[in-house]
Amino acid sequence: MKKKLYLAFPSIKLASPLENGPIIQKLLDQGQDGQLIIFPALSLTGDGLGDLNMQPSILAASLEALNNLSTKVPALIGLPIEIDDRLFSVMAYLEGDRVLGYYPIKSKEAIFCDPQLFPSDKVTDIELFDLSIYLDDEFNTPYQSYEFPTSPSLYLGCPESYSISGGIHSSEYYFSGNVKESARWNQGLVGLEVKLNKGLLKIHSYKEVISTIEGPYPFLRKSRDYQALLDFQARAYGNKLVRTGLAHSVIGISGGLDSTWALIALKRAHELMDLPLENIHCIVMPGFGSSQDTMDSATNFLKYLGFKGEVISIDTAVLQHFRDLNHDPKVMNLVYENSQARERTQILMDLANKYNGLVVGTGDMSEIALGWSTYNGDQMSMYGINASIPKTLIKDLIFWYASNSEEDLKKSLLHILGRPISPELLPPDEKGAIIQKTEEQVGKYEIVDLILYHFLMKKDLGEIYKNLESFYPQLSPKEIKDNLARFFSRFISQQFKRTASPHGVKLTSPSILDFEMAADLTSSYFLKEIEKL
């Protein structure tokens, strides 16, 4: 017999269960013609709250809000509860105005205890339908697949996109492994009619097992998935902006890969959130190392994407800074380079204050992994929109976007793709050519990303070595070891930059946004192990 299930996606406020209660009640009232209403995990509070979940006032308000609800249809509603000094993420089973039981589920937030520690006397079997419900609060990228051990089964994912703004950002569901209808970014009720028999309703946590992708470019995906990825990236930032009560975005445009893709995502975010595109403030900040081709690349890209842009030279301000420091500008050391990066960041931050907006950082995951940034310069922003997109994927996304653009924009993007990657902090040569090339210092990004991928997938050094040997046969054993040593030296020594990085959105699996380690480690162990390979 077919049963009507409702999947509820409330538009809630973070850490405000008493305000969220009436929002949830409205959806309960709207779903009276169904047989079951299923809300997301932590739907009374929103997720991403971290230690705030332990606040007695939040926990008490969550229970109060739950007890104020009533329904004519059985419902599952997510909230945090504390039992015996342990915090759990649970689904409350509500019938009428009574809570009949709690069902603990796993959470990506470490503050929540393992469901196996939940007191068994608080759990009540639900004799309703023969249905397994898999609840997932992890961020699963749009191109990942799902497999379920039992059938009939319903997968319901409502991640908060790994953005500090939290809340219910996206949602999707699958029934018995098949996509029934796209509920992504939906708000309200989504009806689902499925054939179910009477039986025991089972609640599970869902944890996808990510299999290792083989090949030289493991972060790349099929181009058909890129529009969904762009929308995820844009929505996450758009929600962040709107939840802060702001409507303006400030971004530095360099004429390079990262700021190019960041602006494309930023434009999409403003479109999706119905914010004016003129609220995007694009700042071009030429300095001592900016070539004419750089300026042309930046201004042409802005023009063909539909933005005017504002040019602010940093030369005068940086030279004054050198005088203040008694630094000779002919000495082109770290002071010379980093002063430029920090001046640009200061300009963007102050303009964000002027426009009452957010500074959008453009650094990608490969750069973040290597620490290829100036601390408190381009390392810092108010939101890292590219933080989980590696350089190889940035390139592929720009190529995909160019392939679907009008001719002038396409030519501009392809030109940017063909330029050498450079921070351009040192002056060009006599012919105006760039002399500072990033890959000469950190290694080819294709190799960097291959190492990064397998390292984040917890592969050992020997296996990473074999992958490099297999996909880059032109490299000698010494060159492979040099690449590994360079990567791990930078990755470990630059952790201090990552611990102070702005929040971003997780768009790839694996992602550096999931990675944690101390900031005062040394790479000596890895370097010794690499030498043994």
Side-chain angles (χ1 to χ4, degrees), residues 489-507:
S489 293
R490 293 199 64 94
F491 185 88
I492 292 172
S493 68
Q494 300 297 299
Q495 173 67 11
F496 74 98
K497 293 179 182 177
R498 294 191 291 271
T499 58
S501 292
H503 290 273
V505 55
K506 180 184 175 186
L507 292 164

Side-chain angles (χ1 to χ4, degrees), residues 263-380:
L263 182 57
I264 290 170
L266 196 49
K267 179 183 180 183
R268 182 63 176 155
H270 277 244
E271 290 171 344
L272 291 172
M273 306 309 288
D274 294 322
L275 296 172
L277 292 183
E278 53 265 30
N279 285 12
I280 300 176
H281 306 277
C282 306
I283 315 300
V284 181
M285 296 168 283
F288 307 137
S290 301
S291 65
Q292 187 58 49
D293 184 59
T294 296
M295 290 296 296
D296 292 342
S297 295
T299 54
N300 287 337
F301 166 61
L302 287 173
K303 178 174 67 175
Y304 297 133
L305 195 64
F307 295 96
K308 290 184 178 179
E310 182 178 358
V311 178
I312 302 175
S313 173
I314 65 170
D315 290 358
T316 301
V318 174
L319 286 172
Q320 178 60 54
H321 186 56
F322 288 163
R323 287 191 288 271
D324 294 339
L325 297 178
N326 195 26
H327 177 76
D328 183 354
K330 294 179 181 179
V331 179
M332 298 179 188
N333 57 7
L334 280 178
V335 175
Y336 182 90
E337 294 188 31
N338 289 348
S339 294
Q340 297 174 68
R342 293 189 178 111
E343 177 59 27
R344 289 184 172 112
T345 297
Q346 175 175 261
I347 290 170
L348 295 174
M349 290 288 183
D350 291 343
L351 285 174
N353 292 155
K354 176 181 177 180
Y355 296 121
N356 196 26
L358 295 180
V359 174
V360 177
T362 63
D364 64 62
M365 186 165 73
S366 306
E367 292 183 343
I368 293 170
L370 297 171
W372 189 249
S373 61
T374 296
Y375 191 69
N376 210 31
D378 53 321
Q379 169 262 347
M380 183 49 61

Side-chain angles (χ1 to χ4, degrees), residues 3-6 28-37 72-73 189 193:
K3 305 292 183 181
K4 187 168 189 177
L5 310 181
Y6 275 117
L28 289 171
D29 294 340
Q30 292 174 0
Q32 292 184 22
D33 61 332
Q35 279 81 44
L36 177 65
I37 305 176
K72 295 181 180 179
V73 178
L189 291 180
E193 290 195 6

Side-chain angles (χ1 to χ4, degrees), residues 123-273:
V123 180
T124 303
D125 288 339
I126 306 173
E127 288 289 342
L128 196 63
F129 311 127
D130 179 18
L131 176 66
S132 292
I133 301 174
Y134 294 86
L135 296 161
D136 184 8
D137 73 342
E138 286 280 3
F139 186 89
N140 291 302
T141 46
Y143 39 73
Q144 290 178 333
S145 60
Y146 303 87
E147 294 181 2
F148 303 96
T150 60
S151 183
S153 56
L154 173 68
Y155 167 91
L156 176 62
C158 273
E160 54 84 33
S161 302
Y162 274 57
S163 164
I164 193 60
S165 52
I168 306 305
H169 282 181
S170 70
S171 49
E172 58 186 7
Y173 66 84
Y174 298 75
F175 182 72
S176 294
N178 297 315
V179 181
K180 305 303 289 187
E181 179 181 346
S182 174
R184 211 179 284 280
W185 310 117
N186 191 80
Q187 291 180 346
L189 291 180
V190 174
L192 178 63
E193 290 195 6
V194 293
K195 189 174 181 179
L196 295 171
N197 298 318
K198 288 185 178 181
L200 189 65
L201 193 66
K202 297 170 283 292
I203 314 296
H204 305 277
S205 303
Y206 181 77
K207 180 67 176 178
E208 183 178 11
V209 178
I210 303 172
S211 57
T212 302
I213 296 173
E214 302 299 336
Y217 305 103
F219 282 113
L220 269 54
R221 297 296 182 268
K222 293 181 173 62
S223 59
R224 66 170 180 263
D225 297 319
Y226 285 166
Q227 184 63 54
L229 189 149
L230 172 59
D231 287 347
F232 260 70
Q233 185 182 15
R235 282 279 189 180
Y237 172 71
N239 276 290
K240 167 73 171 179
L241 187 64
V242 169
R243 286 176 186 273
T244 57
L246 306 176
H248 288 255
S249 302
V250 178
I251 183 171
I253 300 299
S254 68
L257 297 168
D258 293 343
S259 65
T260 294
W261 181 253
L263 182 57
I264 290 170
L266 196 49
K267 179 183 180 183
R268 182 63 176 155
H270 277 244
E271 290 171 344
L272 291 172
M273 306 309 288

